[in-house]
Amino acid sequence: QLQLVESGGDLVQPGGSLRLSCAASGFTLYNYNIGWFRQAPGKEREWVSCIRRSGDTTLYADSVKGRFTMSRDNAKNTVYLQMNSLEPEDTGTYYCAARNVVCSGRPGGWPYWGQGTQVTVSS
């Protein structure tokens, strides 16, 4: 079974940084596109970023461009999301997801999900 486990969420002040991790088991991570999504209280789940299996190309939502960076560590079978210059609007539960076709911004197209990690940005 494909399993994803997120970690690294925390309470941080505006302008701070966090690094989220998405550890994979049961499959080789580099064979899949990995996406990050987030869901704020009372809001729909939204796409944040994606790293492609081919060439480690990354994509980002407009709201996080220039502040968030995805990377992959194949030796650890883990994907990271480095988040800088955090804003209160970044608050939410962050999920990683996997699919073996092209990156998509629609949550419904991703079959494998982690349990989520909470990120709170507040002064």
Side-chain angles (χ1 to χ4, degrees):
Q1 293 262 331
L2 304 181
Q3 293 185 338
L4 299 167
V5 179
E6 305 95 334
S7 63
D10 206 349
L11 171 65
V12 63
Q13 293 187 345
S17 298
L18 286 173
R19 189 181 73 163
L20 305 184
S21 299
C22 176
S25 62
F27 68 102
T28 302
L29 187 146
Y30 62 74
N31 287 329
Y32 290 80
N33 300 311
I34 306 296
W36 283 98
F37 296 79
R38 67 187 181 189
Q39 188 166 18
K43 295 185 177 181
E44 296 283 302
R45 188 170 300 185
E46 65 174 341
W47 173 72
V48 173
S49 63
C50 183
I51 187 165
R52 293 170 174 164
R53 59 183 175 178
S54 178
D56 285 343
T57 303
T58 53
L59 300 169
Y60 302 94
D62 289 341
S63 59
V64 306
K65 284 181 179 177
R67 300 188 297 119
F68 290 11
T69 304
M70 285 193 71
S71 61
R72 188 200 313 265
D73 187 335
N74 291 332
K76 295 182 178 180
N77 212 28
T78 299
V79 161
Y80 302 98
L81 180 66
Q82 179 66 46
M83 305 187 295
N84 299 323
S85 301
L86 284 164
E87 305 166 351
E89 292 75 17
D90 296 316
T91 293
T93 303
Y94 282 69
Y95 302 87
C96 64
R99 65 184 298 185
N100 60 4
V101 292
V102 297
C103 287
S104 171
R106 297 189 296 174
W110 296 76
Y112 307 109
W113 293 85
Q115 84 290 343
T117 186
Q118 181 66 39
V119 173
T120 302
V121 184
S122 179
S123 59

